[in-house]
Amino acid sequence: MTNGLNSPRVLALLSVAGQPRLAKRIDVLEAMGCRVHAGLFRRERERGRMPQCELTELGRIEDFRYLSRIPTLWRARATVSRLAGQCDVIYAFGPDMALLASLATSKPIIMEIGDVVTMQVRGDLLGAAYRRLDRWIARRCGLIVTTTPRFLSEHFRRWLGVDTPGLVLENKVEARWAESVRAGDGPPRRRRGPGDPVRIGYFGLLGCQWAMDTLHELALANPGRFEIILAGKEWPGADLKRLLATTPGTEYRGPYRSPEDLPGLYGSVDMAWVCYPPIADGDWNLKWARPNRFYESCLFRVPIISRAGSSDAEDVTRLGIGAVIDRVDPREAAVQLAGMITDESLAAWTDSMERVPRSVYSYTDEFDRLLSEICRLARTSSRA
């Protein structure tokens, strides 16, 4: 913890307003004593959770059009330079924000990476050029924070050859909240009896058509054996209305608040859908990333349905806490899943969930280490 005049002043740069992970990160930094001011860009689609700190709008950018952002970032330099003059450290969420910080100020930069986009790992000349820019940005940072170990070890260390200090800060759940949940606070959990339908929960951004097709095939081929509970935000790319209209035993509970509504959602299902669609050879983001639902499922002791080849599938197998799908066709995936889920396997997975170490899904000392790094860089800034 820090306090008073020794509190580091942090300028957070966000390429999107209302993204829950970014807001949560800023709120935690403020709770630990940092004084945070956020400069953010607006987009057409925004998810709703804003950081509870002072805000300055920097402009508007478009989704997925990474190169077209450069003129917008260039125009924001003067504002960022002015804001940086009142701060000790820049906390940039993403390489585009770290690039903006590099162009606008000489203050120490921390870059947090929550995903790796296709452009960064393409095998053509454009991908190589983008990686050269990535390398240039990363080497100008004082610290790289990644949300999965493989983003750091594979993308930055192996692909880019960058030795900038790194810290892994996964999207785990808050320690105090984890203690409360494990102590039994919250609504009672569903008690499934032998032969009762297996209730599968698909929560979050509902944008995966492959998932919906597989769940449709699963319910259709096994009448009365499976129930599908969906909750979250409809997202382009998936036809939720068609799934509900054509699939028996499905229920959509609408958008939800996190973390307030999570105990009720996870407590009402027997398994959690944490499964990516089929992963292509070059889809490194899906191979390296970890969805929030992995950590939430472990917290609430709900067995997981995962995708072979993903980071979380390794832990699902190692810990014995769920089923791992390797089929590509939705119908074949449904057959595979139906064969894996029995009363016996579900009981074994649930029992194994009780023994998952808390450090797998809950923060321990990660934020203390991040704060230590921020203070170190702030001292560097004050000496300069």
Side-chain angles (χ1 to χ4, degrees):
M1 283 286 191
T2 66
N3 54 62
L5 297 177
N6 294 323
S7 302
R9 300 168 300 170
V10 178
L11 172 62
L13 296 179
L14 292 70
S15 62
V16 59
Q19 213 278 355
R21 173 174 61 86
L22 314 189
K24 184 188 301 183
R25 192 76 80 238
I26 291 172
D27 292 347
V28 170
L29 290 177
E30 287 222 312
M32 296 187 75
C34 296
R35 291 174 285 167
V36 185
H37 186 110
L40 54 83
F41 290 86
R42 296 285 184 178
R43 301 196 195 189
E44 183 177 346
R45 291 196 298 266
E46 295 178 355
R47 301 185 190 180
R49 176 170 173 172
M50 299 292 287
Q52 300 302 305
C53 67
E54 291 186 75
L55 304 173
T56 297
E57 188 170 327
L58 301 174
R60 298 187 68 88
I61 57 178
E62 296 184 46
D63 290 333
F64 311 120
R65 300 188 63 179
Y66 304 105
L67 294 179
S68 70
R69 295 178 187 178
I70 294 178
T72 305
L73 301 182
W74 186 260
R75 289 191 294 270
R77 284 181 311 134
T79 302
V80 172
S81 180
R82 174 177 58 81
L83 295 173
Q86 305 166 33
C87 295
D88 304 307
V89 176
I90 313 299
Y91 200 111
F93 289 97
D96 50 356
M97 296 298 99
L99 174 61
L100 171 57
S102 298
L103 297 174
T105 178
S106 60
K107 293 291 178 71
I109 301 168
I110 296 172
M111 176 172 64
E112 177 168 326
I113 299 297
D115 55 52
V116 174
V117 301
T118 302
M119 183 72 74
Q120 292 172 283
V121 292
R122 284 173 54 157
D124 56 13
L125 291 176
L126 187 58
Y130 203 103
R131 284 190 291 279
R132 289 188 66 179
L133 177 61
D134 250 1
R135 188 178 297 111
W136 184 90
I137 295 169
R139 286 176 173 167
R140 278 153 182 77
C141 294
L143 179 70
I144 296 172
V145 177
T146 66
T147 55
T148 78
R150 287 188 175 180
F151 284 163
L152 183 61
S153 64
E154 298 300 312
H155 183 63
F156 287 101
R157 300 292 188 244
R158 190 167 71 84
W159 284 54
L160 301 184
V162 170
D163 59 3
T164 302
L167 174 67
V168 178
L169 197 61
E170 298 181 57
N171 293 319
K172 299 179 182 179
V173 301
E174 302 300 329
R176 188 175 302 174
W177 185 51
E179 291 174 7
S180 172
V181 169
R182 285 290 177 135
D185 294 350
R189 294 185 58 187
R190 162 178 161 85
R191 293 187 178 276
R192 177 184 173 273
D196 288 347
V198 175
R199 192 175 291 171
I200 298 173
Y202 175 17
F203 309 139
L205 289 178
L206 305 176
C208 179
Q209 187 60 51
W210 185 89
M212 293 189 184
D213 290 343
T214 301
L215 291 170
H216 168 79
E217 295 290 346
L218 181 68
L220 212 62
N222 301 273
R225 189 178 161 200
F226 294 98
E227 296 176 349
I228 314 299
I229 305 297
L230 302 103
K233 189 171 183 179
E234 293 186 62
W235 203 248
D239 194 340
L240 176 60
K241 292 183 176 60
R242 186 180 69 182
L243 174 71
L244 297 172
T246 62
T247 311
T250 59
E251 176 187 348
Y252 175 51
R253 297 184 179 177
Y256 62 89
R257 298 168 301 162
S258 177
E260 295 90 340
D261 296 334
L262 294 181
L265 288 174
Y266 281 92
S268 69
V269 299
D270 306 306
M271 296 198 74
W273 183 267
V274 190
C275 187
Y276 288 127
I279 301 176
D281 289 341
D283 199 340
W284 298 104
N285 188 53
L286 292 187
K287 292 180 180 181
W288 297 338
R290 301 199 79 162
N292 289 357
R293 285 171 291 190
F294 171 82
Y295 307 105
E296 294 167 357
S297 300
C298 290
L299 169 64
F300 293 106
R301 294 164 283 193
V302 176
I304 290 169
I305 299 169
S306 185
R307 160 62 60 186
S310 66
S311 291
D312 52 280
E314 294 181 6
D315 278 346
V316 169
T317 300
R318 177 175 62 86
L319 297 168
I321 55 174
V324 176
I325 299 175
D326 62 11
R327 300 296 191 268
V328 172
D329 179 77
R331 186 169 296 176
E332 292 180 3
V335 171
Q336 182 183 29
L337 189 57
M340 292 178 176
I341 301 174
T342 64
D343 287 344
E344 293 74 22
S345 63
L346 195 54
W349 295 330
T350 302
D351 185 59
S352 295
M353 269 294 187
E354 298 287 346
R355 297 189 296 274
V356 173
R358 186 169 296 180
S359 60
V360 169
Y361 59 85
S362 172
Y363 290 119
T364 53
D365 66 342
E366 292 95 332
F367 278 104
D368 292 329
R369 288 187 282 131
L370 175 61
L371 182 61
S372 177
E373 290 293 317
I374 291 174
C375 291
R376 175 183 66 83
L377 293 171
R379 290 192 295 270
T380 302
S381 178
S382 64
R383 287 196 296 268

Coordinates of all heavy atoms in Angstrom, one line a residue, residues 35-71:
R35 N -2.6 7.2 -7.6 CA -3.5 8.2 -8.1 C -3.6 8.1 -9.6 O -2.6 8.4 -10.3 CB -3.0 9.6 -7.7 CG -3.1 9.8 -6.1 CD -2.4 11.1 -5.7 NE -0.9 11.0 -5.8 CZ -0.1 12.1 -5.7 NH1 -0.6 13.3 -5.7 NH2 1.2 11.9 -5.8
V36 N -4.7 7.7 -10.1 CA -4.8 7.4 -11.5 C -5.7 8.4 -12.3 O -6.8 8.8 -11.8 CB -5.4 5.9 -11.7 CG1 -5.4 5.6 -13.2 CG2 -4.6 4.9 -10.9
H37 N -5.2 8.8 -13.4 CA -6.0 9.6 -14.4 C -6.1 8.8 -15.7 O -5.0 8.3 -16.1 CB -5.4 10.9 -14.6 CG -6.2 11.9 -15.5 ND1 -6.9 13.0 -15.0 CD2 -6.6 11.8 -16.8 CE1 -7.5 13.6 -15.9 NE2 -7.4 12.9 -17.0
A38 N -7.2 8.6 -16.3 CA -7.4 7.8 -17.5 C -7.6 8.6 -18.7 O -8.5 9.5 -18.7 CB -8.5 6.7 -17.3
G39 N -6.8 8.4 -19.7 CA -7.1 9.0 -21.0 C -7.7 7.9 -21.9 O -7.0 6.8 -22.0
L40 N -8.8 8.1 -22.5 CA -9.5 7.0 -23.2 C -10.1 7.4 -24.6 O -10.4 8.6 -24.8 CB -10.6 6.3 -22.4 CG -11.7 7.2 -21.8 CD1 -12.8 7.4 -22.7 CD2 -12.2 6.6 -20.5
F41 N -10.2 6.4 -25.4 CA -10.8 6.6 -26.7 C -12.2 5.9 -26.7 O -12.4 5.0 -26.1 CB -10.0 5.9 -27.8 CG -8.7 6.7 -28.1 CD1 -7.5 6.4 -27.3 CD2 -8.6 7.6 -29.1 CE1 -6.3 7.0 -27.6 CE2 -7.4 8.3 -29.3 CZ -6.3 8.0 -28.6
R42 N -13.1 6.5 -27.5 CA -14.4 6.0 -27.7 C -14.5 5.1 -28.9 O -13.8 5.3 -29.9 CB -15.4 7.1 -27.8 CG -15.5 8.0 -26.5 CD -16.3 7.3 -25.4 NE -16.4 8.1 -24.3 CZ -17.1 7.8 -23.2 NH1 -17.6 6.6 -23.1 NH2 -17.2 8.6 -22.1
R43 N -15.4 4.1 -28.8 CA -15.7 3.3 -30.0 C -17.2 3.1 -30.1 O -18.0 3.5 -29.3 CB -15.1 1.9 -29.8 CG -13.6 1.8 -29.6 CD -13.1 0.4 -29.8 NE -11.7 0.3 -29.3 CZ -11.0 -0.8 -29.6 NH1 -11.5 -1.8 -30.3 NH2 -9.8 -0.9 -29.1
E44 N -17.6 2.5 -31.3 CA -19.1 2.4 -31.5 C -19.7 1.4 -30.5 O -20.8 1.7 -30.0 CB -19.3 1.8 -32.9 CG -20.8 1.7 -33.3 CD -20.9 1.2 -34.7 OE1 -20.0 1.3 -35.5 OE2 -22.1 0.8 -35.1
R45 N -19.0 0.3 -30.2 CA -19.5 -0.7 -29.2 C -18.7 -0.5 -28.0 O -17.4 -0.7 -28.0 CB -19.4 -2.1 -29.8 CG -20.3 -2.4 -30.9 CD -20.5 -3.9 -31.1 NE -19.2 -4.5 -31.5 CZ -18.8 -4.8 -32.7 NH1 -19.6 -4.4 -33.7 NH2 -17.7 -5.4 -33.0
E46 N -19.3 -0.3 -26.9 CA -18.7 -0.2 -25.6 C -19.5 -1.0 -24.6 O -20.7 -1.1 -24.6 CB -18.6 1.3 -25.1 CG -17.7 2.1 -26.0 CD -17.7 3.6 -25.6 OE1 -18.4 4.0 -24.6 OE2 -17.0 4.4 -26.2
R47 N -18.7 -1.7 -23.6 CA -19.3 -2.7 -22.8 C -19.9 -2.2 -21.5 O -20.7 -2.9 -20.9 CB -18.3 -3.8 -22.5 CG -17.8 -4.4 -23.8 CD -16.8 -5.6 -23.5 NE -16.1 -6.0 -24.7 CZ -15.3 -7.0 -24.7 NH1 -15.0 -7.6 -23.6 NH2 -14.7 -7.3 -25.8
G48 N -19.5 -1.0 -21.0 CA -20.3 -0.5 -19.9 C -19.6 -0.2 -18.6 O -20.1 0.6 -17.8
R49 N -18.5 -0.9 -18.2 CA -17.9 -0.6 -16.9 C -16.8 0.4 -17.1 O -15.8 0.1 -17.7 CB -17.4 -1.9 -16.3 CG -16.6 -1.6 -14.9 CD -16.3 -2.9 -14.2 NE -15.5 -2.6 -13.0 CZ -15.1 -3.5 -12.1 NH1 -15.6 -4.8 -12.2 NH2 -14.4 -3.2 -11.1
M50 N -17.0 1.5 -16.5 CA -16.0 2.6 -16.5 C -15.1 2.7 -15.3 O -15.6 2.4 -14.2 CB -16.7 4.0 -16.7 CG -17.5 4.1 -18.0 SD -16.5 4.1 -19.5 CE -15.8 5.7 -19.4
P51 N -13.9 3.0 -15.4 CA -13.0 3.1 -14.2 C -13.5 4.3 -13.4 O -13.9 5.3 -13.9 CB -11.6 3.4 -14.8 CG -11.8 3.9 -16.2 CD -13.1 3.3 -16.7
Q52 N -13.3 4.1 -12.1 CA -13.7 5.2 -11.1 C -12.6 6.1 -10.8 O -12.0 6.1 -9.7 CB -14.2 4.5 -9.8 CG -15.4 3.6 -10.1 CD -16.6 4.3 -10.7 OE1 -17.1 5.3 -10.2 NE2 -17.1 3.8 -11.8
C53 N -12.2 6.9 -11.8 CA -11.1 7.8 -11.7 C -11.4 9.0 -12.6 O -12.3 9.0 -13.4 CB -9.7 7.2 -12.0 SG -9.5 6.7 -13.7
E54 N -10.5 10.0 -12.6 CA -10.7 11.1 -13.5 C -10.5 10.7 -14.9 O -9.6 9.8 -15.2 CB -9.7 12.2 -13.1 CG -9.9 13.0 -11.8 CD -9.0 14.1 -11.7 OE1 -9.2 15.2 -12.4 OE2 -8.0 14.0 -10.9
L55 N -11.3 11.2 -15.8 CA -11.2 10.7 -17.2 C -11.0 11.9 -18.2 O -11.5 13.0 -18.0 CB -12.5 10.0 -17.6 CG -13.0 8.8 -16.7 CD1 -14.3 8.4 -17.2 CD2 -12.0 7.7 -16.9
T56 N -10.3 11.7 -19.3 CA -10.1 12.6 -20.4 C -10.3 11.8 -21.7 O -9.7 10.8 -21.9 CB -8.7 13.3 -20.4 OG1 -8.6 14.0 -19.2 CG2 -8.6 14.2 -21.6
E57 N -11.3 12.3 -22.5 CA -11.5 11.6 -23.8 C -10.5 12.1 -24.8 O -10.2 13.3 -24.9 CB -12.9 12.0 -24.3 CG -13.3 11.2 -25.5 CD -14.8 11.3 -25.8 OE1 -15.6 11.5 -24.9 OE2 -15.2 11.3 -27.0
L58 N -9.9 11.1 -25.5 CA -8.8 11.4 -26.5 C -9.2 11.4 -27.9 O -8.5 11.7 -28.8 CB -7.7 10.4 -26.2 CG -7.0 10.4 -24.8 CD1 -6.0 9.3 -24.7 CD2 -6.4 11.8 -24.5
G59 N -10.5 10.9 -28.2 CA -10.9 10.8 -29.6 C -11.7 9.5 -29.8 O -12.1 8.8 -28.9
R60 N -11.9 9.1 -31.1 CA -12.7 7.9 -31.4 C -11.8 7.1 -32.4 O -11.2 7.6 -33.3 CB -14.0 8.3 -32.1 CG -15.0 9.1 -31.2 CD -16.3 9.2 -31.9 NE -17.0 7.9 -32.0 CZ -17.8 7.4 -31.1 NH1 -18.0 8.1 -29.9 NH2 -18.4 6.3 -31.2
I61 N -11.9 5.8 -32.2 CA -11.2 4.8 -33.1 C -12.2 3.7 -33.5 O -13.2 3.5 -32.8 CB -9.9 4.2 -32.5 CG1 -10.2 3.5 -31.1 CG2 -8.9 5.3 -32.3 CD1 -9.0 2.9 -30.5
E62 N -11.9 3.0 -34.6 CA -12.7 2.0 -35.1 C -12.2 0.6 -34.7 O -11.0 0.4 -34.6 CB -12.9 2.1 -36.6 CG -13.5 3.4 -37.1 CD -13.7 3.4 -38.6 OE1 -14.2 2.3 -39.1 OE2 -13.4 4.4 -39.2
D63 N -13.1 -0.3 -34.5 CA -12.7 -1.7 -34.2 C -12.0 -2.4 -35.3 O -12.4 -2.2 -36.5 CB -14.0 -2.6 -33.8 CG -14.6 -2.2 -32.5 OD1 -13.9 -1.7 -31.6 OD2 -15.9 -2.4 -32.4
F64 N -10.9 -3.1 -35.0 CA -10.2 -4.0 -35.9 C -9.4 -3.3 -37.0 O -8.8 -3.9 -37.8 CB -11.2 -5.0 -36.5 CG -12.1 -5.7 -35.5 CD1 -13.4 -5.6 -35.6 CD2 -11.5 -6.5 -34.5 CE1 -14.3 -6.2 -34.7 CE2 -12.3 -7.1 -33.6 CZ -13.7 -7.0 -33.7
R65 N -9.5 -2.0 -37.0 CA -8.8 -1.2 -38.1 C -7.5 -0.6 -37.5 O -7.4 0.6 -37.2 CB -9.7 -0.2 -38.7 CG -10.9 -0.8 -39.4 CD -11.7 0.2 -40.2 NE -10.9 0.8 -41.3 CZ -11.4 1.7 -42.2 NH1 -12.6 2.1 -42.0 NH2 -10.7 2.1 -43.1
Y66 N -6.5 -1.5 -37.3 CA -5.4 -1.1 -36.4 C -4.5 0.0 -37.1 O -4.0 0.9 -36.5 CB -4.6 -2.4 -36.1 CG -5.4 -3.4 -35.4 CD1 -5.8 -4.6 -36.1 CD2 -5.8 -3.2 -34.1 CE1 -6.6 -5.5 -35.5 CE2 -6.6 -4.2 -33.5 CZ -7.0 -5.3 -34.2 OH -7.8 -6.2 -33.6
L67 N -4.2 -0.2 -38.4 CA -3.3 0.8 -39.1 C -4.0 2.1 -39.2 O -3.3 3.2 -39.1 CB -2.9 0.2 -40.4 CG -2.0 -1.0 -40.4 CD1 -1.7 -1.5 -41.8 CD2 -0.7 -0.8 -39.6
S68 N -5.3 2.1 -39.4 CA -6.0 3.4 -39.5 C -6.1 4.2 -38.2 O -6.5 5.4 -38.2 CB -7.5 3.2 -40.0 OG -8.2 2.5 -39.0
R69 N -5.7 3.6 -37.1 CA -5.7 4.3 -35.8 C -4.5 5.3 -35.7 O -4.5 6.2 -34.9 CB -5.6 3.3 -34.7 CG -6.8 2.4 -34.5 CD -6.5 1.4 -33.4 NE -7.6 0.5 -33.3 CZ -7.7 -0.5 -32.4 NH1 -6.7 -0.7 -31.5 NH2 -8.7 -1.4 -32.4
I70 N -3.5 5.1 -36.5 CA -2.2 5.8 -36.4 C -2.5 7.4 -36.5 O -2.0 8.1 -35.6 CB -1.1 5.4 -37.3 CG1 -0.7 3.9 -37.0 CG2 0.1 6.3 -37.3 CD1 0.3 3.3 -37.9
P71 N -3.2 7.9 -37.5 CA -3.5 9.3 -37.5 C -4.2 9.8 -36.3 O -4.0 10.9 -35.8 CB -4.3 9.5 -38.8 CG -4.0 8.3 -39.6 CD -3.8 7.2 -38.7

